[in-house]
Amino acid sequence: KYQGEINSGILCMSWSPDFEFVIFATGKGTIIEMTSEFDIVDEVTIYNEETNEDENDNNKEKSHLFPEDNNKFISWRGDGQCFAVTTINPTTGKSELKIFNREAQLESTSEKINNLENIVSWRPSGEIIAATEKKPHRYEVVFFERNGLRHREFTLRDDCVVK
């Protein structure tokens, strides 16, 4: 049965752990939350205030607001009560981690980071998020608290390959 379409394209999607909701990152720079029956719950525009772009301009390509080199930039916490998205701030060109609650309401935003990559995992208790950051000549695994604050990091050995 035909449910509709996302004209700007789907850059990434992720089901909640209980499969009640699915999150889509779109080519026009939005996060769309749908139920398992594909009914829209909410649509959130990323950075519309900061870019001063008209929200009704559906034809403008905004996929640059999400990482281009990977498609794993949405990650749900294990209990499905919140999810994190790696975004790219259009003003600074730096990456940010945005944490949303289950209803797709923004709860927190991390500091701006030069090359934040994949969200690797949530700690089982849900208070820490691990991601990778590419630095010149090395990779770091960085940890963020749910409120977006950088918690800690460690450097991977030189001979490690991050995929």
Side-chain angles (χ1 to χ4, degrees):
K1 172 179 161 183
Y2 179 78
Q3 293 290 330
E5 57 188 66
I6 299 174
N7 292 331
S8 60
I10 298 170
L11 303 177
C12 183
M13 68 173 281
S14 181
W15 283 97
S16 64
D18 59 8
F19 295 100
E20 288 185 25
F21 296 102
V22 61
I23 301 296
F24 295 95
T26 72
K28 72 175 187 175
T30 60
I31 300 292
I32 300 175
E33 181 177 27
M34 294 184 183
T35 65
S36 60
E37 303 295 319
F38 298 104
D39 295 320
I40 294 178
V41 174
D42 203 355
E43 183 170 357
V44 179
T45 302
I46 302 294
Y47 297 114
N48 63 328
E49 306 86 27
E50 295 178 34
T51 59
N52 294 322
E53 294 180 24
D54 184 356
E55 287 185 51
N56 297 321
D57 185 3
N58 294 331
N59 298 324
K60 190 170 254 187
E61 183 67 27
K62 298 178 186 173
S63 60
H64 60 278
L65 298 177
F66 300 107
E68 294 178 9
D69 58 346
N70 68 70
N71 60 357
K72 301 173 191 169
F73 50 84
I74 300 173
S75 179
W76 283 87
R77 192 170 74 178
D79 65 1
Q81 294 304 306
C82 57
F83 61 94
V85 179
T86 304
T87 63
I88 299 173
N89 185 300
T91 305
T92 64
K94 294 185 177 185
S95 304
E96 294 176 330
L97 187 67
K98 292 185 173 285
I99 295 97
F100 295 85
N101 65 20
R102 187 173 176 90
E103 292 77 37
Q105 303 300 312
L106 181 64
E107 290 191 343
S108 60
T109 302
S110 73
E111 64 186 74
K112 293 166 182 56
I113 299 171
N114 281 329
N115 293 302
L116 187 66
E117 293 187 330
N118 292 341
I119 301 168
V120 179
S121 185
W122 286 74
R123 186 175 186 176
S125 61
E127 71 257 4
I128 300 292
I129 306 160
T132 57
E133 179 182 2
K134 185 177 183 178
K135 292 196 169 189
H137 311 292
R138 71 178 195 265
Y139 270 97
E140 287 190 351
V141 176
V142 294
F143 300 98
F144 295 91
E145 297 175 13
R146 185 173 168 201
N147 62 10
L149 293 176
R150 190 172 181 144
H151 187 68
R152 296 176 190 228
E153 66 276 328
F154 66 86
T155 302
L156 296 176
R157 295 187 332 242
D158 290 339
D159 59 346
C160 287
V161 177
V162 177
K163 294 183 179 182

